Amino acid sequence: EVQLVESGGGLVQPGGSLRLSCAASGFTFSDHYMDWVRQAPGKGLEWVGQIRNEVNRYTTEYAASVKGRFTISRDDSKNSLYLQMNSLKTEDTAVYYCVRGTYGAFDIWGQGTMVTVSS
Amino acid sequence: DIQMTQSPSSLSASVGDRVTITCRASQSISNYLNWYQQKPGKAPKLLIYAASSLQTGVPSRFSGSGSGTDFTLTISSLQPEDFATYYCQPSYTTVTFGGGTKVEI
C-alpha cells in the first residue's frame, strides 16, 4: 500500500524549533519530488516547500512565508522526508501534510501532523 | 507567483444537481491545473490532473476542463459523499492553491 506517515508535531513556543518526519512506503521514494503542504485551522491549503529527487540534485523551493526559517531534506536510504522548522511563529500553527508529487500533481497525502505554536 | 482565483467560495446544492466550480489563473498555465477534494478532518485527495485527466479511482461524474487561464471542475450529478471543499492548484513550483469552494447541502 502506498503510504505517507508524518510524525513530530506538537506544541512549541514562539521562536522555538521543531522537526517533522514523514515515512514513505509502497513506492519508489527516490524517484519522486516531495512537498510539504500546511493548513491552518479553518483555512485553506498553503504550499510550504518542495525537494526534488537525486536526478534534479535534491534542489529545494520554499514559500516566501517560510523561506529562511524552514528547511526540507530527505534520506532516500530511509524513505524519509523531513521538515526542520526554526524561529516558529504563531501563524505557523497548522496541520502539516507530507505530499508526493507526480508530474506536478500531489497524488499521495499523509494523514497530517498538527503543529501548535503558542506560549 | 501565479495567483489562483476560485469561485464561488461556497455553494448550496442538492443531491442530483450539476455543480460547476471555476478557477482562474493570473497568467496562462496551459493545462497545468489540478483539482482536489477535502472532507472535514481528512487529507485532500487528488481528483483531476492536467486540467481534464481523471485520477485513478475517481468516479466519472467528476470532470475537468479548460486551458490557459480559465478552468472548470464539474460534478455531473452530486452525490451525498461529494459534499466537501474543493481546491484548484497549478502544477508549478512555488505553488499557490485556490482559496477553495465549499459544497454544502
Side-chain angles (χ1 to χ4, degrees), chain A residues 45-77:
Chain A
L45 301 171
E46 181 187 15
W47 174 77
V48 172
Q50 178 186 80
I51 186 166
R52 299 184 179 96
N53 54 15
E54 182 179 9
V55 168
N56 291 281
R57 303 181 182 181
Y58 299 125
T59 51
T60 54
E61 301 285 348
Y62 298 95
S65 58
V66 307
K67 197 169 187 178
R69 300 187 299 123
F70 289 12
T71 302
I72 299 174
S73 60
R74 63 191 293 167
D75 185 338
D76 290 350
S77 69

Side-chain angles (χ1 to χ4, degrees), chain A residues 35 37 39 43-47 50 52 61-64 97 103-112, chain B residues 1 34 36 38 41-46 48-49 55 87 89-99:
Chain A
D35 293 65
V37 174
Q39 187 169 36
K43 301 297 184 182
L45 301 171
E46 181 187 15
W47 174 77
Q50 178 186 80
R52 299 184 179 96
E61 301 285 348
Y62 298 95
Y97 294 102
Y103 300 114
F106 299 145
D107 62 343
I108 303 295
W109 295 66
Q111 85 286 354
Chain B
D1 287 2
N34 310 307
Y36 301 85
Q38 187 180 32
K42 299 293 186 182
K45 170 188 171 184
L46 177 65
I48 302 284
Y49 63 94
Q55 175 70 349
Y87 294 92
Q89 172 244 332
S91 304
Y92 273 77
T93 305
T94 62
V95 169
T96 300
F97 286 88

Side-chain angles (χ1 to χ4, degrees), chain B residues 24-45:
Chain B
R24 175 166 288 177
S26 57
Q27 64 189 75
S28 177
I29 56 172
S30 184
N31 70 332
Y32 298 121
L33 193 283
N34 310 307
W35 290 97
Y36 301 85
Q37 175 194 66
Q38 187 180 32
K39 297 181 180 179
K42 299 293 186 182
K45 170 188 171 184

Side-chain angles (χ1 to χ4, degrees), chain B residues 14-19 61 75-79 82:
Chain B
S14 300
V15 173
D17 284 354
R18 181 181 182 88
V19 169
R61 63 181 179 273
I75 309 171
S76 60
S77 178
L78 198 66
Q79 297 302 300
D82 301 336

Side-chain angles (χ1 to χ4, degrees), chain B residues 60-105:
Chain B
S60 59
R61 63 181 179 273
F62 290 93
S63 64
S65 64
S67 66
T69 59
D70 294 316
F71 301 87
T72 300
L73 173 69
T74 299
I75 309 171
S76 60
S77 178
L78 198 66
Q79 297 302 300
E81 60 268 31
D82 301 336
F83 290 95
T85 300
Y86 295 84
Y87 294 92
C88 63
Q89 172 244 332
S91 304
Y92 273 77
T93 305
T94 62
V95 169
T96 300
F97 286 88
T101 297
K102 187 174 183 179
V103 176
E104 302 175 293
I105 300 173

